[in-house]
Amino acid sequence: MADQKMKERRRVSLMIMVLIFQVLSASLHGCLAATGQGQPPRKPTSIHPRAGVRSSVFLPVSGNVYPLGYYSVTIGIGNPPKPFQLDIDTGSDLTWVQCDAPCTGCTLRRDQLYNPSKNNFVDCKDPICLAVNSPNPPQCKNPNEKCCFQVQYADHGSVLGFIVLDTFPLRLVNGTLSKPNLAFGCGHRLQNRGLHPPTPTARVLGLGKSKASISSQLSSMGVTKNVFGHCLGDNRGFLFFGADFVPKSGMTWTRMLQSSSYKHYSSGPAELLFSGKPTGIKGVNVIFDTGST
Ligand SMILES: *[C@@H]1O[C@H](CO)[C@@H](O)[C@H](O)[C@H]1NC(C)=O
């Protein structure tokens, strides 16, 4: 029975393609999201960028709902870049990696951790520090202090650390290598209590709504448009930043709630159907959270 449920869930996950759009235009009421309906997503190999700007980044995704329970991409950070496998999480704003500051509770080997250097700390007066810690202001005694963060996860314990800036070399689809300096968390005190063991990744790629998320930073720096999309398959799939890979057809669009009182991407109340049949779940707020299978 449990196996059957898992299998069904997996099939459903294969048929879901979620695209989340942040359109920074007041006239459009902001965010939009779309889900493919009834049709399997196109394979990554059949997705081609549209002609035009081609200022997008395309990354392969691995992972599955079962048995792994997470999806990840590998991104290089630093110069020379060191690879970090990160859980893609639209339910989190802050990107962070396990960090040798030194670390307690890290699950990676020491040589796999991120090494912060003295000159890449973000201080308390940096606007990104406020964005990271919103709505609670950072606990800084003086504006030149290191900006700290703490995140409590619903299912994975918590992390404490500080914010750093470093290069994320990203290959744009037109071939140009972009090297934006992005802010992210150096997590050095991890508590892995929770419902399941921590994922074996370096940790989280935050794709949430706030200005601190990677998608928002890439757009505010003019690297890619404020659009991202992903297709989650069974150990295959893709994640893109920028507008070049948005399919022209086969999409259904829905409006996203814009209010800042919603921390997550949400389309408001919805009903959940399974194979077209009611599940009894309706009228509840739906959030789009890839960090939760
Ligand atoms: C690729 O796109 C970026 C951003 O639009 C631009 O700066 C760069 O010159 C482009 N490169 C090529 C080879 O067209």
Side-chain angles (χ1 to χ4, degrees):
M1 187 63 189
D3 265 351
Q4 183 61 28
K5 262 197 197 136
M6 273 304 180
K7 256 193 226 137
E8 282 172 0
R9 256 211 232 152
R10 198 149 117 190
R11 203 162 52 216
V12 171
S13 83
L14 281 172
M15 296 186 57
I16 293 176
M17 179 179 175
V18 181
L19 283 165
I20 295 183
F21 283 64
Q22 280 190 271
V23 183
L24 292 179
S25 150
S27 65
L28 271 175
H29 286 258
C31 303
L32 303 160
T35 55
Q37 285 210 331
Q39 291 166 340
R42 295 198 228 170
K43 288 194 196 112
T45 47
S46 67
I47 286 262
H48 299 292
R50 293 197 209 153
V53 190
R54 304 204 167 181
S55 183
S56 285
V57 175
F58 189 96
L59 301 163
V61 166
S62 59
N64 54 38
V65 172
Y66 183 81
L68 288 178
Y70 63 91
Y71 290 92
S72 64
V73 290
T74 298
I75 289 187
I77 304 176
N79 187 16
K82 188 167 176 175
F84 292 93
Q85 191 197 352
L86 304 174
D87 296 346
I88 60 179
D89 188 1
T90 57
S92 285
D93 290 323
L94 181 68
T95 294
W96 66 274
V97 296
Q98 299 186 34
C99 185
D100 191 10
C103 184
T104 56
C106 280
T107 54
L108 298 179
R109 290 197 320 263
R110 190 156 185 208
D111 62 303
Q112 296 173 312
L113 302 176
Y114 178 76
N115 297 107
S117 70
K118 278 201 190 74
N119 53 14
N120 70 350
F121 297 147
V122 166
D123 61 35
C124 286
K125 59 183 185 301
D126 196 304
I128 205 88
C129 185
L130 269 176
V132 164
N133 288 289
S134 167
N136 304 313
Q139 317 215 317
C140 301
K141 287 184 204 86
N142 110 42
N144 298 320
E145 246 176 77
K146 271 192 299 208
C147 174
C148 293
F149 74 92
Q150 180 163 26
V151 186
Q152 198 88 39
Y153 292 96
D155 55 351
H156 275 305
S158 65
V159 56
L160 198 81
F162 50 89
I163 307 297
V164 294
L165 269 177
D166 208 342
T167 313
F168 281 58
L170 295 167
R171 181 72 58 188
L172 301 179
V173 289
N174 70 4
T176 297
L177 186 65
S178 180
K179 295 183 172 178
N181 236 5
L182 304 179
F184 63 100
C186 161
H188 60 84
R189 210 180 300 164
L190 280 63
Q191 265 178 342
N192 301 308
R193 49 164 186 75
L195 306 172
H196 26 84
T199 60
T201 54
R203 231 22 86 75
V204 175
L205 183 72
L207 299 176
K209 275 166 82 176
S210 112
K211 273 190 284 189
S213 76
I214 287 293
S215 35
S216 302
Q217 290 189 60
L218 286 175
S219 127
S220 67
M221 298 181 92
V223 178
T224 56
K225 290 229 171 89
N226 201 7
V227 172
F228 69 87
H230 56 57
C231 174
L232 308 176
D234 193 3
N235 262 319
R236 63 191 179 119
F238 56 86
L239 169 69
F240 63 77
F241 297 102
D244 302 296
F245 292 96
V246 178
K248 286 189 208 122
S249 61
M251 306 281 291
T252 300
W253 297 84
T254 188
R255 190 166 278 177
M256 292 272 108
L257 297 180
Q258 200 41 1
S259 159
S260 59
S261 56
Y262 291 94
K263 203 180 153 308
H264 295 101
Y265 299 111
S266 174
S267 57
E271 177 171 14
L272 181 68
L273 304 178
F274 187 76
S275 297
K277 296 192 190 77
T279 58
I281 300 171
K282 60 178 168 186
V284 291
N285 262 331
V286 174
I287 65 164
F288 294 89
D289 183 358
T290 56
S292 135
T293 49

